[in-house]
Amino acid sequence: MSFINFATKEINCKIVYYGPGLSGKTVNIKWIYEHVRPENRGELVTLATETERTLFFDFVPIEISNVKGFKVRFHLYTTPGQIIYQASRKLILKGVDGIVFVADSQEERHDANLDTLDDMIENLKDYKMDIEKIPLVIQYNKRDLPNALPVDILRRDLNRWNRPDFEAIAIKGVGVLETFKEITKQVLRKLKE
Amino acid sequence: MLNITPEEDRELRKLLTELAKESKSKIVILIDKSGQLISRSESPAFSSDDITFASLTAGNVAASEALSKLLGDKDLNHMFTETEEEGIYMILLDGKYILVVIFDKDSSNLGIIRVKIKRFYPKVKELIERIEERTEKETTVSSDINVEEIDLDSLFE
């Protein structure tokens, strides 16, 4: 749920990176964190296992000032991708203003993409949110791997709503910023509606 | 979406500051269940990162709530976390917000906190309901906010 404070002139929005395990959600927000000016970012919190798999969520607030004196703060969250963490994923979606679906382009992970997308749609339904109305960006990650499926196939199966989508190699920062810019634009536009 | 006017912000801060003073706690924070910080008491000595604190508290409460449902209980009402020196008391407000009180165990205790919250809870609830009602009636966000003016490139080095 977005929150605007006219006293402190702050706008707060929640963006969730959703996707199957190891698709690169944490890599996306870590890249953003590392490349944003220190004065524009808060602390990066990761609740992960010893092997760096996300256990509950990662969180980082990103702030932009001077929008007519307003400060916009995007709260970026990732969900745990592994199947067993279904319950945790649902909790993190609560009050979401925009979603980035990070898909793994590798052929052998395509079923996981589809399962996770179904899981996301179901979770949104439980919160009475319609996937067709919520700001959404699809990212096809790991484009540099030899076993990556053609984008056409990924698009056909995952982007059924014809939403903005981007190819990415998140580990090198390719496509990360474009994805982030697009989702923030959509979230702010929705706020104005 | 929820929005707060400067006047409402002052009222809310005043209430939370009074609660912090009376309960001899370090700080009182009001957050929503999705992890947004709504307001906090005037507590200059408290230096922790409020934004991160709000997000982690919401996650903590959400997980405990899911646990209580798993056990067949209907709702979680409140929870308490204790560190070596501090106590963190969290109480759900209207099922949508979380009131968090952080206190030094040397200067206050859970009993005092709960008694004081009992007195302030209806006041905070009434105020937040009023804010919600007004927000709902408003159809558009202030024209002060111009989406096109936001320069995301300036964020990055």
Side-chain angles (χ1 to χ4, degrees):
Chain A
M1 183 186 73
S2 52
F3 168 61
I4 305 175
N5 189 327
F6 285 100
T8 52
K9 292 205 153 193
E10 281 180 359
I11 305 169
N12 291 275
C13 309
K14 179 172 180 175
I15 294 171
V16 174
Y17 282 69
Y18 209 97
L22 293 173
S23 67
K25 303 172 289 297
T26 303
V27 176
N28 260 275
I29 77 157
K30 271 198 176 154
W31 191 92
I32 294 169
Y33 174 78
E34 283 162 7
H35 289 82
V36 161
R37 294 172 195 282
E39 61 268 31
N40 292 113
R41 65 182 193 210
E43 206 176 319
L44 172 73
V45 176
T46 55
L47 305 178
T49 64
E50 280 174 14
T51 52
E52 290 195 22
R53 300 296 302 271
T54 305
L55 179 65
F56 195 6
F57 60 82
D58 308 306
F59 168 76
V60 66
I62 304 289
E63 295 173 2
I64 312 175
S65 296
N66 288 330
V67 185
K68 277 203 178 169
F70 269 88
K71 181 193 279 179
V72 186
R73 186 181 294 118
F74 298 105
H75 299 234
L76 308 188
Y77 286 81
T78 66
T79 56
Q82 295 174 81
I83 293 163
I84 51 165
Y85 298 130
Q86 202 278 339
S88 306
R89 272 196 294 281
K90 187 174 167 188
L91 297 180
I92 292 149
L93 272 186
K94 187 167 184 72
V96 67
D97 295 303
I99 300 174
V100 173
F101 187 87
V102 182
D104 191 328
S105 294
Q106 298 179 89
E107 193 173 1
E108 58 269 37
R109 295 296 292 156
H110 197 44
D111 282 344
N113 287 332
L114 293 164
D115 289 345
T116 310
L117 189 62
D118 287 344
D119 164 76
M120 184 177 93
I121 296 168
E122 280 309 307
N123 284 336
L124 285 172
K125 266 188 207 156
D126 285 349
Y127 286 127
K128 297 191 171 46
M129 282 190 268
D130 184 352
I131 189 150
E132 295 194 27
K133 289 186 183 142
I134 192 161
L136 172 71
V137 176
I138 318 269
Q139 184 187 80
Y140 312 115
N141 194 19
K142 307 194 185 182
R143 294 309 300 159
D144 56 333
L145 296 185
N147 48 350
L149 279 171
V151 171
D152 291 349
I153 294 178
L154 292 165
R155 186 173 284 139
R156 182 196 67 202
D157 292 348
L158 302 172
N159 193 359
R160 302 164 207 164
W161 310 273
N162 208 16
R163 306 297 281 273
D165 54 8
F166 296 92
E167 294 184 40
I169 309 166
I171 204 129
K172 293 181 184 157
V174 178
V176 173
L177 185 55
E178 290 82 348
T179 307
F180 175 66
K181 275 187 182 175
E182 174 58 33
I183 193 65
T184 49
K185 248 184 235 164
Q186 285 188 37
V187 167
L188 292 169
R189 232 177 270 144
K190 174 106 182 178
L191 200 70
K192 293 283 281 182
E193 273 172 21
Chain B
M1 190 183 66
L2 186 78
N3 71 60
I4 288 191
T5 65
E7 180 53 37
E8 290 160 349
D9 184 67
R10 262 194 301 277
E11 274 184 71
L12 207 45
R13 267 176 191 265
K14 196 171 160 235
L15 266 182
L16 301 184
T17 306
E18 274 174 36
L19 171 57
K21 265 189 196 155
E22 284 199 21
S23 61
K24 294 190 170 62
S25 54
K26 279 181 157 176
I27 186 166
V28 178
I29 302 174
L30 180 68
I31 66 178
D32 83 354
K33 273 168 90 179
S34 69
Q36 312 269 28
L37 176 79
I38 307 285
S39 187
R40 53 169 280 177
S41 60
E42 307 284 354
S43 310
F46 185 81
S47 61
S48 176
D49 179 351
D50 299 352
I51 305 294
T52 305
F53 188 87
S55 132
L56 285 172
T57 304
N60 190 7
V61 169
S64 301
E65 227 175 357
L67 270 178
S68 78
K69 285 207 174 94
L70 208 58
L71 293 173
D73 212 331
K74 267 201 305 201
D75 287 309
L76 178 87
N77 297 325
H78 55 124
M79 53 189 284
F80 179 55
T81 300
E82 198 174 351
T83 66
E84 206 164 307
E85 288 168 5
E86 284 162 344
I88 309 170
Y89 181 69
M90 294 153 266
I91 181 161
L92 273 112
L93 200 128
D94 228 4
K96 286 180 267 182
Y97 304 94
I98 308 160
L99 193 59
V100 191
V101 181
I102 303 172
F103 60 93
D104 215 320
K105 288 197 287 188
D106 284 340
S107 43
S108 191
N109 63 59
L110 190 55
I112 294 174
I113 301 290
R114 291 191 65 181
V115 168
K116 295 295 175 189
I117 281 187
K118 210 170 184 183
R119 204 161 79 72
F120 279 88
Y121 185 98
K123 292 182 193 173
V124 179
K125 188 167 178 273
E126 192 268 326
L127 178 53
I128 202 94
E129 279 171 354
R130 187 149 45 89
I131 295 169
E132 279 183 332
E133 263 176 46
R134 183 198 41 77
T135 304
E136 237 170 72
K137 276 186 209 148
E138 284 175 1
T139 47
T140 52
V141 174
S142 161
S143 56
D144 285 354
I145 305 160
N146 189 350
V147 178
E148 307 309 322
E149 274 186 20
I150 297 173
D151 177 20
L152 286 161
D153 287 321
S154 66
L155 267 180
F156 295 90
E157 291 177 309

